[in-house]
Amino acid sequence: MSTVFPPAPVATVPVAGRSERFPVHRIYCVGRNYEEHAREMGFTGREPPFFFMKPADAVLPVEAGQTGRLPYPSLTGNLHHEIELVVAIGKGGRAIAAANALEHVFGYAVGLDMTRRDLQNDMKKQGRPWCIGKGFDHSAPIGPITPAAQAGDVAQAAIWLQVNGQDRQRSTVAQLIWNIAETIEHLSAAWELQPGDLIYTGTPEGVGAVVRGDVLEGGVDGLGTLRLQVV
Ligand code: MN
């Protein structure tokens, strides 16, 4: 096949302990999936999960032991961090039952759903899509993917984020409103999942702004840490 210009390279994420990398197909994100975060955003109660997407090439992969560089994005004065457990899909499927969902998981990673909160809030008020607030370039930093068999009990793991060494977010994955398997069930009812899909599962309470020069370090127990500087 010839193309009118070279196709864009596939975005990839490192895999812990392996030289092969994980090729990204799509990035799905779950909104308001921890109760205390839903509260801080002005919502209460359990609602069905809802989803938004980021472009696959919005991933900002950070190699093990490295400090990534996160460019401060344009058009915002309120860039927020959202630390999240990321589920990496290894086997696709549609209408996947929660009981079988974990068979579709390749592994897990620590990610950040970076958000231009001022733009997202403007779009919310106007009933417009969130894309400009959520789907910008480099908006999906992610550390190495740990294969599921080596990841330990992710469902109960601590999840945390520090900015310049100070705690901003600290919770456990057990606080998810819709757990990993339920999220895959809902998501695969709406889209056919493919190997290479990433699911950012939502953030606990404590979201807040960062500025140029800040160092973000976050983790999920068993999956290592993700470290970035805003530049
Ligand atoms: Mn999020």
Side-chain angles (χ1 to χ4, degrees), residues 29-32 37 52 82 84 113 115 134 200-203:
C29 303
V30 188
R32 294 195 290 268
H37 173 62
F52 59 92
E82 296 190 356
E84 308 204 358
D113 166 15
T115 302
K134 288 289 195 178
Y200 281 63
T201 55
T203 196

Side-chain angles (χ1 to χ4, degrees), residues 23-59:
V24 180
H25 175 249
R26 288 182 183 165
I27 304 174
Y28 296 101
C29 303
V30 188
R32 294 195 290 268
N33 204 13
Y34 287 82
E35 194 177 342
E36 291 304 317
H37 173 62
R39 263 189 233 289
E40 76 183 349
M41 301 306 284
F43 296 84
T44 55
R46 197 184 206 217
E47 54 180 352
F50 68 92
F51 305 102
F52 59 92
M53 294 173 77
K54 296 179 187 251
D57 66 354
V59 284

